[in-house]
Amino acid sequence: MKHQHYFENAIDQLQAENRYRVFADLERVVGSFPKAIYRTCDTNQDEVKDRTKTSAKEVTIWCSNDYLGMGQHESVIRAMSDSVSNIGTGAGGTRNISGTSHPIVELEKELADLHGKEAALVFTSGFVSNQATLSTLPKLLPNCLIISDEFNHASMIEGIRQSGCAKKIFRHNDLEHLEMILAAEDVNRPKIIAFESVYSMDGDVAPIREIADLADQYNALTYIDEVHAVGMYGDHGGGITEREGLAHRIDIIEGTLAKAFGVLGGYITGTRKIIDCVRSYAPGFIFTTALPPAIASAAISSIQHLKNSSLEREQHQLRVLETKQALYDEELPLMPSQTHIIPLWVGDADLCKKASDRLMQEHDIYIQPINYPTVPRGTERLRITPSPLHSQDHIKALTDALVETWTFLELPFEHYDGSNEDETGKQSVSDQLQLVVHKSGG
Ligand SMILES: *Cc1c(COP(=O)(O)O)cnc(C)c1O
């Protein structure tokens, strides 16, 4: 075969850097979330892999982005299966060619309402919604400058790159740096500030109000990715912007239907005119088949449920706090997160992978290692995401497993103090985590 060695080399390079990715073969079972069946191939060292010989065991998932377990919620499952029975499977084409299935019309109304916006537009994924919108809107603004947080998600970076417009990167959540960039421009030059509400690898939150203030002062549009907040924050699941009463201060709110809402798809919400422009100009929207109607029906059910019920959100936050406290009490190196995302510092790609493997092999716990390029090199971590369905027994089992793994791999037990934080920052971990610090006898 031609050119195979190039591909081989490319994979070898990933393996040499310990960042070759292996996906766990998992089967979730309705009613038993966060448990799932994990399958592996039985291979003896020298034997050729026989994919028919597999072994299976039950594991506990601690890294799902189905944050609230809505993917197995009774009413969401019913909405999807009813819709499939009544309407069928696929959408039958792009909306341009084949029209819009009615559930998508309803879904877009639901989403506009969720964020208090005039209109919404649904895409096949959150990735596509960011990429399509950020590659299209800036082109419609003359000489547009895009100002982007350095930790923005790959889908935003791709979109910005594809727009071909000028861009400037501001240091993560750094208002002074953002203002410096804004102030250096002609106030009349069209600008878009693109950022996230909850940053998914650190669990920190953007200073949304201050960014909106700067946007007003310097004449910039605001674009926020609320992917890791919709469904989970705000009285109706409208995200951090709802919780802080700031949705009206942000021009475009983007979200996913695939994480807390437990289904699939992405969306943007904003003014009728902005939505109409993306609908009319974005190739990533126009030239691809719409979501299946059953997906839209399931998403509607999930959104409506979480609009009316805060139980899942409250349980979620409680479990998160209990998990943080349990890990903190064992002096495991929690990184300071203000949200439901719990990053555990490892700081080494090889050890991170080894810790993850050991948790799976010895403790039946699944936590995917987070390595470059998802996070910068040298900041590798385990990213733990509790759900309302993780019990206290699950938390205890997780804590014991992590302690054993840390001991086995000789990873340090010490409260994380952030390698580039100053002395005063060191006190803040327990504060930021809102944890109770138990004074030991000594
Ligand atoms: C996962 C993710 C996306 C993409 O959403 P999908 O619906 O999974 O395609 C966008 N932004 C952020 C910050 C994400 O973590």
PDB file of all heavy atoms in Angstrom, residues 318-336:
ATOM      1  N   LEU A 318     -24.688  19.057  45.047  1.00  0.00           N
ATOM      2  CA  LEU A 318     -24.423  18.415  46.331  1.00  0.00           C
ATOM      3  C   LEU A 318     -23.379  17.298  46.165  1.00  0.00           C
ATOM      4  O   LEU A 318     -22.410  17.209  46.924  1.00  0.00           O
ATOM      5  CB  LEU A 318     -25.747  17.848  46.876  1.00  0.00           C
ATOM      6  CG  LEU A 318     -25.700  17.275  48.286  1.00  0.00           C
ATOM      7  CD1 LEU A 318     -25.369  18.371  49.283  1.00  0.00           C
ATOM      8  CD2 LEU A 318     -27.050  16.619  48.631  1.00  0.00           C
ATOM      9  N   ARG A 319     -23.578  16.471  45.146  1.00  0.00           N
ATOM     10  CA  ARG A 319     -22.638  15.367  44.897  1.00  0.00           C
ATOM     11  C   ARG A 319     -21.250  15.894  44.553  1.00  0.00           C
ATOM     12  O   ARG A 319     -20.237  15.311  44.929  1.00  0.00           O
ATOM     13  CB  ARG A 319     -23.143  14.486  43.745  1.00  0.00           C
ATOM     14  CG  ARG A 319     -24.367  13.713  44.065  1.00  0.00           C
ATOM     15  CD  ARG A 319     -24.070  12.640  45.119  1.00  0.00           C
ATOM     16  NE  ARG A 319     -25.285  11.959  45.491  1.00  0.00           N
ATOM     17  CZ  ARG A 319     -25.852  12.051  46.688  1.00  0.00           C
ATOM     18  NH1 ARG A 319     -25.305  12.744  47.657  1.00  0.00           N
ATOM     19  NH2 ARG A 319     -26.974  11.405  46.933  1.00  0.00           N
ATOM     20  N   VAL A 320     -21.220  16.987  43.816  1.00  0.00           N
ATOM     21  CA  VAL A 320     -19.946  17.589  43.430  1.00  0.00           C
ATOM     22  C   VAL A 320     -19.196  18.036  44.690  1.00  0.00           C
ATOM     23  O   VAL A 320     -18.005  17.755  44.864  1.00  0.00           O
ATOM     24  CB  VAL A 320     -20.176  18.796  42.483  1.00  0.00           C
ATOM     25  CG1 VAL A 320     -18.908  19.626  42.331  1.00  0.00           C
ATOM     26  CG2 VAL A 320     -20.673  18.305  41.123  1.00  0.00           C
ATOM     27  N   LEU A 321     -19.931  18.714  45.569  1.00  0.00           N
ATOM     28  CA  LEU A 321     -19.311  19.217  46.787  1.00  0.00           C
ATOM     29  C   LEU A 321     -18.815  18.053  47.655  1.00  0.00           C
ATOM     30  O   LEU A 321     -17.710  18.092  48.197  1.00  0.00           O
ATOM     31  CB  LEU A 321     -20.326  20.078  47.555  1.00  0.00           C
ATOM     32  CG  LEU A 321     -19.730  21.005  48.597  1.00  0.00           C
ATOM     33  CD1 LEU A 321     -18.673  21.919  47.990  1.00  0.00           C
ATOM     34  CD2 LEU A 321     -20.830  21.828  49.255  1.00  0.00           C
ATOM     35  N   GLU A 322     -19.631  17.009  47.764  1.00  0.00           N
ATOM     36  CA  GLU A 322     -19.234  15.841  48.560  1.00  0.00           C
ATOM     37  C   GLU A 322     -17.988  15.172  47.962  1.00  0.00           C
ATOM     38  O   GLU A 322     -17.099  14.744  48.696  1.00  0.00           O
ATOM     39  CB  GLU A 322     -20.385  14.821  48.617  1.00  0.00           C
ATOM     40  CG  GLU A 322     -21.510  15.266  49.538  1.00  0.00           C
ATOM     41  CD  GLU A 322     -22.781  14.429  49.371  1.00  0.00           C
ATOM     42  OE1 GLU A 322     -22.829  13.540  48.491  1.00  0.00           O
ATOM     43  OE2 GLU A 322     -23.736  14.676  50.117  1.00  0.00           O
ATOM     44  N   THR A 323     -17.944  15.107  46.643  1.00  0.00           N
ATOM     45  CA  THR A 323     -16.777  14.487  45.998  1.00  0.00           C
ATOM     46  C   THR A 323     -15.523  15.337  46.218  1.00  0.00           C
ATOM     47  O   THR A 323     -14.468  14.818  46.587  1.00  0.00           O
ATOM     48  CB  THR A 323     -17.039  14.302  44.485  1.00  0.00           C
ATOM     49  OG1 THR A 323     -18.278  13.631  44.308  1.00  0.00           O
ATOM     50  CG2 THR A 323     -15.936  13.507  43.825  1.00  0.00           C
ATOM     51  N   LYS A 324     -15.663  16.649  46.022  1.00  0.00           N
ATOM     52  CA  LYS A 324     -14.507  17.528  46.243  1.00  0.00           C
ATOM     53  C   LYS A 324     -13.991  17.398  47.676  1.00  0.00           C
ATOM     54  O   LYS A 324     -12.794  17.282  47.918  1.00  0.00           O
ATOM     55  CB  LYS A 324     -14.895  18.991  45.982  1.00  0.00           C
ATOM     56  CG  LYS A 324     -15.001  19.375  44.514  1.00  0.00           C
ATOM     57  CD  LYS A 324     -15.437  20.832  44.387  1.00  0.00           C
ATOM     58  CE  LYS A 324     -15.504  21.264  42.919  1.00  0.00           C
ATOM     59  NZ  LYS A 324     -16.097  22.610  42.771  1.00  0.00           N
ATOM     60  N   GLN A 325     -14.956  17.400  48.618  1.00  0.00           N
ATOM     61  CA  GLN A 325     -14.570  17.311  50.027  1.00  0.00           C
ATOM     62  C   GLN A 325     -13.843  16.001  50.310  1.00  0.00           C
ATOM     63  O   GLN A 325     -12.802  15.986  50.981  1.00  0.00           O
ATOM     64  CB  GLN A 325     -15.822  17.429  50.913  1.00  0.00           C
ATOM     65  CG  GLN A 325     -15.525  17.439  52.403  1.00  0.00           C
ATOM     66  CD  GLN A 325     -14.940  18.773  52.874  1.00  0.00           C
ATOM     67  OE1 GLN A 325     -15.545  19.817  52.677  1.00  0.00           O
ATOM     68  NE2 GLN A 325     -13.768  18.740  53.479  1.00  0.00           N
ATOM     69  N   ALA A 326     -14.364  14.901  49.784  1.00  0.00           N
ATOM     70  CA  ALA A 326     -13.763  13.587  50.041  1.00  0.00           C
ATOM     71  C   ALA A 326     -12.334  13.531  49.491  1.00  0.00           C
ATOM     72  O   ALA A 326     -11.416  13.035  50.161  1.00  0.00           O
ATOM     73  CB  ALA A 326     -14.616  12.489  49.420  1.00  0.00           C
ATOM     74  N   LEU A 327     -12.124  14.069  48.302  1.00  0.00           N
ATOM     75  CA  LEU A 327     -10.788  14.031  47.696  1.00  0.00           C
ATOM     76  C   LEU A 327      -9.834  14.975  48.432  1.00  0.00           C
ATOM     77  O   LEU A 327      -8.663  14.673  48.647  1.00  0.00           O
ATOM     78  CB  LEU A 327     -10.855  14.390  46.209  1.00  0.00           C
ATOM     79  CG  LEU A 327     -11.789  13.531  45.329  1.00  0.00           C
ATOM     80  CD1 LEU A 327     -11.604  13.868  43.858  1.00  0.00           C
ATOM     81  CD2 LEU A 327     -11.566  12.039  45.550  1.00  0.00           C
ATOM     82  N   TYR A 328     -10.384  16.130  48.816  1.00  0.00           N
ATOM     83  CA  TYR A 328      -9.575  17.116  49.536  1.00  0.00           C
ATOM     84  C   TYR A 328      -9.106  16.552  50.878  1.00  0.00           C
ATOM     85  O   TYR A 328      -7.950  16.721  51.268  1.00  0.00           O
ATOM     86  CB  TYR A 328     -10.403  18.384  49.754  1.00  0.00           C
ATOM     87  CG  TYR A 328      -9.661  19.517  50.420  1.00  0.00           C
ATOM     88  CD1 TYR A 328      -8.859  20.374  49.673  1.00  0.00           C
ATOM     89  CD2 TYR A 328      -9.767  19.729  51.790  1.00  0.00           C
ATOM     90  CE1 TYR A 328      -8.170  21.415  50.272  1.00  0.00           C
ATOM     91  CE2 TYR A 328      -9.085  20.770  52.402  1.00  0.00           C
ATOM     92  CZ  TYR A 328      -8.290  21.607  51.644  1.00  0.00           C
ATOM     93  OH  TYR A 328      -7.615  22.631  52.241  1.00  0.00           O
ATOM     94  N   ASP A 329     -10.010  15.859  51.563  1.00  0.00           N
ATOM     95  CA  ASP A 329      -9.677  15.280  52.869  1.00  0.00           C
ATOM     96  C   ASP A 329      -8.542  14.267  52.768  1.00  0.00           C
ATOM     97  O   ASP A 329      -7.816  14.043  53.735  1.00  0.00           O
ATOM     98  CB  ASP A 329     -10.907  14.625  53.498  1.00  0.00           C
ATOM     99  CG  ASP A 329     -11.919  15.663  53.984  1.00  0.00           C
ATOM    100  OD1 ASP A 329     -11.549  16.859  54.047  1.00  0.00           O
ATOM    101  OD2 ASP A 329     -13.069  15.286  54.292  1.00  0.00           O
ATOM    102  N   GLU A 330      -8.392  13.636  51.606  1.00  0.00           N
ATOM    103  CA  GLU A 330      -7.295  12.671  51.414  1.00  0.00           C
ATOM    104  C   GLU A 330      -6.049  13.348  50.849  1.00  0.00           C
ATOM    105  O   GLU A 330      -5.095  12.674  50.460  1.00  0.00           O
ATOM    106  CB  GLU A 330      -7.735  11.545  50.472  1.00  0.00           C
ATOM    107  CG  GLU A 330      -8.837  10.662  51.029  1.00  0.00           C
ATOM    108  CD  GLU A 330      -8.412   9.867  52.262  1.00  0.00           C
ATOM    109  OE1 GLU A 330      -7.191   9.710  52.503  1.00  0.00           O
ATOM    110  OE2 GLU A 330      -9.319   9.413  52.992  1.00  0.00           O
ATOM    111  N   GLU A 331      -6.082  14.661  50.781  1.00  0.00           N
ATOM    112  CA  GLU A 331      -4.951  15.437  50.246  1.00  0.00           C
ATOM    113  C   GLU A 331      -4.615  15.067  48.805  1.00  0.00           C
ATOM    114  O   GLU A 331      -3.456  15.099  48.382  1.00  0.00           O
ATOM    115  CB  GLU A 331      -3.704  15.315  51.141  1.00  0.00           C
ATOM    116  CG  GLU A 331      -4.006  15.748  52.565  1.00  0.00           C
ATOM    117  CD  GLU A 331      -2.791  16.319  53.288  1.00  0.00           C
ATOM    118  OE1 GLU A 331      -1.762  16.592  52.633  1.00  0.00           O
ATOM    119  OE2 GLU A 331      -2.895  16.500  54.503  1.00  0.00           O
ATOM    120  N   LEU A 332      -5.620  14.705  48.065  1.00  0.00           N
ATOM    121  CA  LEU A 332      -5.415  14.520  46.625  1.00  0.00           C
ATOM    122  C   LEU A 332      -5.394  15.910  45.980  1.00  0.00           C
ATOM    123  O   LEU A 332      -6.103  16.817  46.428  1.00  0.00           O
ATOM    124  CB  LEU A 332      -6.536  13.646  46.053  1.00  0.00           C
ATOM    125  CG  LEU A 332      -6.413  12.176  46.461  1.00  0.00           C
ATOM    126  CD1 LEU A 332      -7.752  11.467  46.397  1.00  0.00           C
ATOM    127  CD2 LEU A 332      -5.380  11.460  45.587  1.00  0.00           C
ATOM    128  N   PRO A 333      -4.549  16.103  44.944  1.00  0.00           N
ATOM    129  CA  PRO A 333      -4.297  17.466  44.428  1.00  0.00           C
ATOM    130  C   PRO A 333      -5.423  18.019  43.534  1.00  0.00           C
ATOM    131  O   PRO A 333      -5.271  18.148  42.321  1.00  0.00           O
ATOM    132  CB  PRO A 333      -2.997  17.291  43.635  1.00  0.00           C
ATOM    133  CG  PRO A 333      -3.000  15.866  43.223  1.00  0.00           C
ATOM    134  CD  PRO A 333      -3.699  15.099  44.293  1.00  0.00           C
ATOM    135  N   LEU A 334      -6.536  18.356  44.164  1.00  0.00           N
ATOM    136  CA  LEU A 334      -7.641  18.997  43.453  1.00  0.00           C
ATOM    137  C   LEU A 334      -7.196  20.338  42.909  1.00  0.00           C
ATOM    138  O   LEU A 334      -6.590  21.123  43.619  1.00  0.00           O
ATOM    139  CB  LEU A 334      -8.759  19.321  44.438  1.00  0.00           C
ATOM    140  CG  LEU A 334      -9.644  18.230  44.964  1.00  0.00           C
ATOM    141  CD1 LEU A 334     -10.736  18.869  45.801  1.00  0.00           C
ATOM    142  CD2 LEU A 334     -10.244  17.491  43.795  1.00  0.00           C
ATOM    143  N   MET A 335      -7.551  20.595  41.684  1.00  0.00           N
ATOM    144  CA  MET A 335      -7.314  21.940  41.164  1.00  0.00           C
ATOM    145  C   MET A 335      -8.544  22.792  41.490  1.00  0.00           C
ATOM    146  O   MET A 335      -9.651  22.276  41.558  1.00  0.00           O
ATOM    147  CB  MET A 335      -7.068  21.876  39.654  1.00  0.00           C
ATOM    148  CG  MET A 335      -5.806  21.085  39.318  1.00  0.00           C
ATOM    149  SD  MET A 335      -5.689  20.627  37.576  1.00  0.00           S
ATOM    150  CE  MET A 335      -5.337  22.209  36.819  1.00  0.00           C
ATOM    151  N   PRO A 336      -8.349  24.100  41.722  1.00  0.00           N
ATOM    152  CA  PRO A 336      -9.460  24.923  42.198  1.00  0.00           C
ATOM    153  C   PRO A 336     -10.512  25.169  41.114  1.00  0.00           C
ATOM    154  O   PRO A 336     -10.300  25.962  40.218  1.00  0.00           O
ATOM    155  CB  PRO A 336      -8.795  26.237  42.614  1.00  0.00           C
ATOM    156  CG  PRO A 336      -7.532  26.280  41.855  1.00  0.00           C
ATOM    157  CD  PRO A 336      -7.118  24.864  41.580  1.00  0.00           C
TER     158      PRO A 336
END
